[in-house]
Amino acid sequence: MVLPLHRASFPMTLAGPTIESATSDEALADDARRGARNAFVVLVARYRDRIYRLAFRMSRNASDAEEIAQDTFLHAHRAIGSFHGESRFGTWLYRIAVNEALMRQRSARRRPLESIDVLMPRFADVGATGGDQAESADELVDAKRVIRRVREALDELDADHRAALVLRDLEELSAEDAADILGISAEALRQRAHRARMKMRVMLADILADRA
């Protein structure tokens, strides 16, 4: 029996409860399905950072990402009775998170991106250490320009292609797992990710040429 919960039941700063860390996700999900609330709390603790990161990469907005993550866990808790281990628990949960993000994107007007550091971490240390101050400043300005252009290019992708790109290239999931999450074939997933990469290359052609 699933206990009634609300969004506040899944704080992003949740402290991890004491359950054997070697217990599999699927075993915990089975316990949760049987009504063990603490088992589901452990699953939240295991996945909260990954789900938030996925939600941020899909929504490009910190506030939306937190709400998507909270709604994902709420949805998962309500639906845990339908999880019978046909797929890995993580795949099942990612599917819920992607669907939550896609529904939000399709029903709400996009907001400006608050930060791209999580999405493009390789730019985080540009101009931060040593060297000539003027050169560092130039590098920082250039990095900000690149980040802005990457953000604009991501915004140009439709939700389906962005989801494929995020799952394959940023979350680094296999084509099979990403396809399972999106409910499409692995070949269709590969095609979407490839088209997304090609669109990004075209939109960022000048930047790629400068860095060649």
Side-chain angles (χ1 to χ4, degrees), residues 54 57-60 95 98-106 110 154-169 178-179 181-185 188-197 199:
L54 172 64
R57 286 171 167 172
M58 290 290 294
S59 67
R60 307 168 321 283
R95 186 183 303 125
V98 169
N99 286 337
E100 290 287 345
L102 291 176
M103 285 191 296
R104 180 173 290 265
Q105 289 173 14
R106 288 163 179 164
R110 293 175 181 172
L154 285 169
D155 285 345
E156 288 298 316
L157 295 178
D158 62 66
D160 290 335
H161 284 88
R162 187 183 305 114
L165 187 68
V166 165
L167 292 174
R168 280 291 284 139
D169 292 358
I181 289 167
L182 295 178
I184 59 179
S185 69
L189 184 283
R190 292 188 184 95
Q191 291 176 2
R192 283 189 191 179
H194 177 72
R195 285 195 292 267
R197 294 186 197 108
K199 289 179 180 181

Side-chain angles (χ1 to χ4, degrees), residues 62-84:
S63 177
D64 283 352
E66 184 166 351
E67 290 188 9
I68 291 168
Q70 298 281 11
D71 288 344
T72 294
F73 290 118
L74 181 60
H75 184 155
H77 188 273
R78 289 172 172 168
I80 194 67
S82 67
F83 178 76
H84 298 290

